[in-house]
Amino acid sequence: MDTAVTNVETLLSMEEFHVSEDYGFVLPEPLTDLPEYFKPWLDISKNVPELISSHSLRLKVHNMPLLETHLLQSHRELRLAHLALSTLTMGYVWQEGERETIKVLPQNLAVPLWEVSQRLGLPPILSHADTVLANWKKTNSDGPFAMDNLELLITLPGGETVQGFFLVTLLVELAAVPGLKAIPEVISGVHYNNVAMVTKALNVVGQAIDSMKHALKLMHDYVDPSIFYGILRIYLSGWKDNSSMAEGLVYEGVQEKAMEYSGGSAAQSSTLHCFDELMGVKHEGDSGAFLKRMRDYMPPSHKHFIENISSHPSLRNFVLQQADEHLTYAFEQCLSRLVDFRNYHINIVTRYVTIPASRAKQLRVSGQESAKELGTIGKAPTALEERGTGGSGIMSFLKTVRDNTKDGLSNSL
């Protein structure tokens, strides 16, 4: 839908913050290869599942040359390097599961990962910015953004479930794009006291949030709960708030003291942060602190885009002052759809985390694991049964965030 309104100055530029009008926060057309000098990184990272299966990834990493990162020049080169090196890091740390973790990341992996991370402003660990935003290509470049026309650049153990999990999440991000494009229109409309402009843009935001939910439903078609929980999930977990690595991880050649970083989390997606800031949804206490910390796992320009939204006059106050029926309805619909999306996300987490975790506990107590479940749910780390891969108490966090959104709906107008 066209949200353009003529004869007004746009107060928030997406381009200034490297947010694409076509792709949103997704990296447009990621590179699929690096210069020949960096071939050792990609050769190993593109075979991580097989190397983990043969218990030989750590040995491959030990034999990897220490490469000079200053030869990486473009932003896309740096993003692909970060994806490759951080995937190697997760595989190296978790190759033998939670019982045989390591305390030191070797220098030939730690130093280049650290240097690339510093240049990008990203943490030296695999994050949403890597696995989802910069980890895709179209099979047919002229074809649509659809599951049967997308593939990952670099993957992790878990087969088609890994492909499904990251690519469905990519489609959720892309579904949000019309809503992100409408945010500058909302901000300008508030500034110019243009009720029609704000109402029209809010309708687009609401439709985008609804489209995100429909994209998220594809998880059920492409992601197997037992494989996600039992095989993939450990490779998304970090070394902060994780009892399996309570001391953190030493990045050899960077500093002697161990460092702690959270694993991948949906809270690292900039999209819902933007909509929360726009709608005036407040997250405080532990959940607010966690969400704020997750912004440090986003590309810095995306984090600044979120902060810029919150620096503008309050949309909520504008809606209250105008007391316009259509404007109020559009605002409330946006909040309602945010609540609905978060409720659906809780349902997804219940199916893919809570229920398998309960089954894993049951199997441990009864000792009656089937061979299939031993190979999937039975492998799952006990440290993640009640926590998200980002380190939060997963269900209490998600319900608090959902309830905060509900409060915005019930208390606002």
Side-chain angles (χ1 to χ4, degrees), residues 266-384:
Q268 295 170 0
S269 167
S270 301
T271 299
L272 287 179
H273 287 252
C274 287
F275 293 147
D276 279 348
E277 292 292 354
L278 182 72
M279 304 304 296
V281 176
K282 301 298 181 187
H283 300 289
E284 297 172 345
D286 291 343
S287 61
F290 179 76
L291 283 169
K292 186 175 182 181
R293 185 161 62 80
M294 288 298 98
R295 293 185 183 182
D296 292 334
Y297 290 71
M298 302 170 184
S301 60
H302 297 174
K303 174 184 175 181
H304 296 152
F305 182 74
I306 299 166
E307 293 168 346
N308 192 284
I309 293 170
S310 64
S311 72
H312 291 279
S314 165
L315 167 63
R316 183 189 299 274
N317 289 344
F318 177 78
V319 175
L320 281 167
Q321 290 163 4
Q322 296 298 323
D324 178 90
E325 179 183 355
H326 297 294
L327 174 63
T328 300
Y329 179 77
F331 182 84
E332 290 180 339
Q333 277 293 101
C334 283
L335 278 176
S336 180
R337 283 171 169 170
L338 263 180
V339 172
D340 197 32
F341 181 87
R342 287 186 157 129
N343 272 325
Y344 195 78
H345 187 216
I346 288 171
N347 292 341
I348 291 282
V349 171
T350 299
R351 184 182 181 209
Y352 286 93
V353 179
T354 308
I355 293 173
S358 177
R359 179 60 177 156
K361 288 180 184 177
Q362 181 186 11
L363 291 172
R364 279 204 312 277
V365 172
S366 67
Q368 296 178 343
E369 303 97 329
S370 69
K372 181 180 178 183
E373 286 183 311
L374 262 177
T376 52
I377 291 177
K379 287 184 176 179
T382 56
L384 291 179

Side-chain angles (χ1 to χ4, degrees), residues 104-171:
V104 179
L105 193 68
Q107 181 171 347
N108 58 346
L109 177 52
V111 168
L113 174 58
W114 178 263
E115 291 174 351
V116 170
S117 299
Q118 290 294 107
R119 288 175 66 182
L120 286 170
L122 290 172
I125 190 171
L126 193 69
S127 67
H128 180 85
D130 302 303
T131 56
V132 175
L133 303 183
N135 190 24
W136 63 274
K137 69 175 179 179
K138 286 184 177 181
T139 310
N140 174 4
S141 59
D142 297 324
F145 274 104
M147 290 298 288
D148 59 1
N149 193 43
L150 290 167
E151 58 184 281
L152 299 178
L153 305 178
I154 295 175
T155 190
L156 287 163
E160 292 181 359
T161 281
V162 182
Q163 181 104 346
F165 179 70
F166 291 139
L167 292 179
V168 168
T169 308
L170 172 71
L171 292 181

